[in-house]
Amino acid sequence: GQQLNQSPQSMFIQEGEDVSMNCTSSSIFNTWLWYKQDPGEGPVLLIALYKAGELTSNGRLTAQFGITRKDSFLNISASIPSDVGIYFCAGPGGGATNKLIFGTGTLLAVQP
Amino acid sequence: GAGVSQSPSNKVTEKGKDVELRCDPISGHTALYWYRQSLGQGLEFLIYFQGNSAPDKSGLPSDRFSAERTGGSVSTLTIQRTQQEDSAVYLCASSLGGYGTQYFGPGTRLLVL
């Protein structure tokens, strides 16, 4: 079945640093999604990508849909303490429904 | 505005007992999803409801798991004869239509002792 490998598993950075994380798939995706999950909450959609090569920004966040359609990248610039959380990539789980498959997540800790 | 709500927030139960988890989707959202998040893992799809169509149950891990959606709104996920490996966060999401953005609830944290 489809698998999403996300790296790194965790990152511990200083406030103001830039962050990069990526996600790779064993198969081609038509959509890449990036979610953030705060402690005790459900995931919240940050960025959606629908086209190979697409580069999309949302404030300090920028995500790219890889040309091969098997990977995606998320960058956070000038990190701040509220960026703390778990970041997940996700993509279509196949079949006739809109179920998603998720990566294992990247835990981000930001030290003020 | 009202988002997806889930209850209870936390549930502790003994092995072998049945549990029911509730999800109230965003009003007007026709699609509803259940996912499970085990400790340190990503979300795992369980079941999907869309309108009056037959649900996609392909993610349910065993026949101890079942879900229903009454009146196209509220959904209940039932786990019978709970096992310790059922301990996880159970997340519900809803979307406007079958391919809309999924909005997640805060989850129910289930601990099976």
Side-chain angles (χ1 to χ4, degrees), chain B residues 14-79:
Chain B
E14 294 179 347
K15 178 181 172 181
K17 295 285 180 67
D18 297 351
V19 296
E20 285 190 352
L21 312 179
R22 176 187 168 107
C23 172
D24 282 88
I26 294 173
S27 178
H29 279 193
T30 58
L32 186 148
Y33 314 75
W34 283 97
Y35 293 86
R36 177 170 70 175
Q37 184 176 24
S38 300
L39 186 64
Q41 299 296 315
L43 282 70
E44 171 193 9
F45 168 78
L46 296 177
I47 188 169
Y48 161 80
F49 297 91
Q50 165 59 7
N52 296 320
S53 302
D56 176 355
K57 303 179 182 180
S58 60
L60 295 179
S62 77
D63 59 8
R64 296 186 295 104
F65 288 72
S66 63
E68 62 178 22
R69 188 179 185 191
T70 54
S73 180
V74 172
S75 177
T76 302
L77 177 69
T78 301
I79 308 173

Side-chain angles (χ1 to χ4, degrees), chain A residues 79-97:
Chain A
S79 59
I80 59 178
S82 62
D83 290 334
V84 165
I86 304 176
Y87 292 79
F88 291 100
C89 59
T97 66

Side-chain angles (χ1 to χ4, degrees), chain A residues 58-108:
Chain A
N58 179 6
R60 295 177 294 104
L61 277 62
T62 302
Q64 184 163 23
F65 193 142
I67 290 293
T68 65
R69 295 166 64 192
K70 289 186 175 183
D71 57 8
S72 180
F73 306 86
L74 176 69
N75 297 314
I76 305 173
S77 62
S79 59
I80 59 178
S82 62
D83 290 334
V84 165
I86 304 176
Y87 292 79
F88 291 100
C89 59
T97 66
N98 194 27
K99 61 189 176 189
L100 298 175
I101 62 170
F102 284 79
T104 51
T106 294
L107 171 64
L108 177 63

